[in-house]
Amino acid sequence: MSPSAIRPLRLVGRLLAATAAVVGPVALFLALLVATDGAGSGFAAWSVAVGAAVAAVLWRGRRRSWRERLVPFLPVLVGAALTLSVCVPTVPTARDYPPALTFVTTEHVRLSTGSRVAVYHYPPTGSGPRRRVPLVYLNGGPVRGISVLDHHFLQRLAGQGYDVYAYEQAGGGRSDLLPMDQYSINRSVQDLGAFISKLGKGRADVLGFSSGAVVLTRALADPAIAGHLHRAVIAEPGPMDGPTAGISGQKGRPSARGIAPAMTGPRSTHVPRYAVAFGLLRLGLLSPDNGLVGQAEGDNAFTAADLGSDTASAYCAQDAHRIPVEDTARNFSFSAAASLRIQQTIKDSPSIAPQLRKSRTPAMLMIAECSSQVRQWQTTVLADNPAIQRTQYMPGVGHHMWNGLGDNDRRAAAVITAFLQDKPAPLPDYPTRADIPAFLRNHE
């Protein structure tokens, strides 16, 4: 082979060797990050990985001249710089709570459980009759702040005479954080009972949406909490317990996921520290209470754009190019770590079906046509709760049924208020328990 042909091969070989010299320390760093659960903001893993890389370079160059020894240090320095960026916070590490909303007062209430939650009150307005029973709203997430879009829907309900209360569950929005090991689905249920007791207005109607509907469903299975409930609206529930969480099956009609324009705005996952932390957290390789990114810092860093296609999955395919802005950047709040922790406690929980079958609280189930939730999560609630008096299948909407598009808010409000007032339903009672097999077949 000619010298001119050999030189490019040597160049490629050196590039590959340099790349390997960078990748090796980075891979070791990630492995140590997982092994140490991110201890010391990642510096424990970083110091060992860099130390090992330096030792390896010194060992390999022990018989070379000092100039030859310096060259291999360049890729080590590159690897050290890359991994160091994972160890340095770029947002405050103490919780930076969202500022107050301009259209509603935020009150902080200490519950008997120890949770300190942010509460929003919309007194009844409008020219119609005032409703005697207060209405409590449980938003989705879990551990997400109440969106501005949801606040607008609550204002609509207040405009129809309802005394509406909403609180951001512990760790979400403006509510105080909990120690990570205190987040659980059982704590969320106990907080609901404690909140209604704190209101001091007797039993309350409760509207639970998404993960809030899971909290409500489990509250119906707990006689001590169910005693505080007057009527329950279970809207688009997730899995209610471990056996249900293990079900994989059909979803609703096609959602906008994969066809809607990508969300705009800053993403924490464009920053190496949070891309690594949230990625490993989602894969289950870091614990929710890891030492890399603390709960407060993670909350501060996470943005609405980080939700990616999750937002689009809450809308029908036909709405892909008109998905509304659900929240403002300053109001948005989501705790990825605490959310995963609560979801895990649901997956680890035994069946609540035996308790739920004893429920006597009048309830209604709401299902969206383009639901991103597994249908069996919803039909399991219907099958196991004999007190569900009606099911309302909402045509033309996705998981986020009240979304400001067209007349969706009006239709959702009409379904909810008709049930709370024990008036005829605006839609057919579908699916009933007898309809469940056919309903699931129709969505195959």
Side-chain angles (χ1 to χ4, degrees):
M1 185 176 292
S2 66
S4 61
I6 292 174
R7 276 194 294 270
L9 292 176
R10 286 176 176 172
L11 179 60
V12 171
R14 288 171 182 170
L15 288 173
L16 290 174
T19 302
V22 173
V23 171
V26 171
L28 177 60
F29 168 73
L30 292 175
L32 289 169
L33 205 59
V34 172
T36 61
D37 203 29
S41 197
F43 279 107
W46 182 84
S47 59
V48 173
V50 172
V54 169
V57 168
L58 290 174
W59 174 259
R60 286 196 299 267
R62 64 191 183 280
R63 293 188 178 90
R64 299 176 182 175
S65 67
W66 67 270
R67 288 183 179 179
E68 292 177 321
R69 293 180 187 179
L70 290 178
V71 174
F73 275 102
L74 181 58
V76 172
L77 290 175
V78 173
L82 288 173
T83 51
L84 183 62
S85 67
V86 177
C87 304
V88 181
T90 62
V91 299
T93 56
R95 183 69 175 110
D96 188 10
Y97 290 96
L101 294 165
T102 58
F103 52 82
V104 65
T105 300
T106 306
E107 180 185 0
H108 285 87
V109 172
R110 177 76 66 181
L111 303 179
S112 60
T113 57
S115 301
R116 184 173 180 267
V117 297
V119 180
Y120 309 94
H121 180 208
Y122 292 103
T125 59
S127 57
R130 300 297 191 257
R131 308 299 170 186
R132 179 181 56 82
V133 179
L135 174 60
V136 174
Y137 176 60
L138 287 174
N139 67 303
V143 201
R144 180 174 174 176
I146 299 174
S147 70
V148 171
L149 204 59
D150 280 5
H151 276 289
H152 290 164
F153 185 66
L154 298 180
Q155 289 173 321
R156 172 183 284 271
L157 294 175
Q160 297 184 26
Y162 289 90
D163 192 17
V164 180
Y165 292 85
Y167 69 93
E168 288 169 318
Q169 296 169 54
R174 296 165 186 81
S175 293
D176 286 7
L177 307 182
L178 294 176
M180 190 59 68
D181 62 359
Q182 291 187 25
Y183 289 105
S184 71
I185 188 61
N186 288 338
R187 174 64 170 264
S188 299
V189 172
Q190 294 301 315
D191 280 353
L192 171 61
F195 178 76
I196 297 174
S197 294
K198 189 78 172 182
L199 286 181
K201 296 190 174 186
R203 293 189 299 163
D205 293 328
V206 181
L207 166 60
F209 167 65
S210 192
S211 64
V214 176
V215 175
L216 177 54
T217 300
R218 294 181 69 99
L220 293 170
D222 184 334
I225 309 300
H228 296 285
L229 309 181
H230 179 253
R231 283 182 171 249
V233 178
I234 306 167
E236 280 286 286
M240 65 182 188
D241 54 24
T244 311
I247 297 174
S248 60
Q250 305 95 325
K251 296 186 179 180
R253 306 301 183 197
S255 76
R257 190 184 190 102
I259 58 176
M263 290 188 69
T264 58
R267 293 174 182 259
S268 69
T269 47
H270 288 170
V271 179
R273 176 172 175 82
Y274 306 112
V276 170
F278 293 141
L280 293 177
L281 191 64
R282 185 153 191 151
L283 291 171
L285 298 176
L286 286 182
S287 71
D289 199 18
N290 67 84
L292 179 59
V293 173
Q295 179 187 176
E297 182 189 350
D299 291 6
N300 294 338
F302 204 94
T303 69
D306 287 321
L307 293 173
S309 58
D310 283 355
T311 297
S313 69
Y315 294 83
C316 289
Q318 65 263 26
D319 294 327
H321 295 280
R322 62 168 193 159
I323 293 176
V325 177
E326 294 190 341
D327 213 348
T328 65
R330 300 192 73 198
N331 184 64
F332 177 81
S333 169
F334 180 68
S335 176
S339 181
L340 288 172
R341 161 76 183 170
I342 290 178
Q343 291 177 59
Q344 189 60 53
T345 64
I346 295 173
K347 293 176 183 177
D348 293 341
S349 68
S351 172
I352 64 167
Q355 293 79 29
L356 190 59
R357 291 183 188 122
K358 300 175 183 178
S359 177
R360 297 295 179 267
T361 304
M364 176 178 71
L365 176 66
M366 295 177 70
I367 300 176
E369 179 181 11
C370 309
S371 176
S372 56
Q373 306 288 73
V374 174
R375 288 301 194 196
Q376 285 89 336
W377 294 349
Q378 302 159 345
T379 56
T380 297
V381 175
L382 175 60
D384 289 336
N385 186 349
I388 291 180
Q389 298 179 346
R390 66 177 72 165
T391 302
Q392 300 284 268
Y393 179 76
M394 305 292 293
V397 294
H399 180 60
H400 203 162
M401 292 181 286
W402 41 89
N403 51 39
L405 297 177
D407 69 343
N408 291 342
D409 285 16
R410 181 196 61 77
R411 292 192 297 127
V415 163
I416 292 167
T417 57
F419 173 71
L420 295 182
Q421 296 171 34
D422 200 20
K423 292 182 177 179
L427 299 171
D429 182 14
Y430 175 79
T432 64
R433 291 175 187 83
D435 295 324
I436 290 176
F439 178 74
L440 294 177
R441 283 197 303 271
N442 291 337
H443 291 84
E444 290 181 342

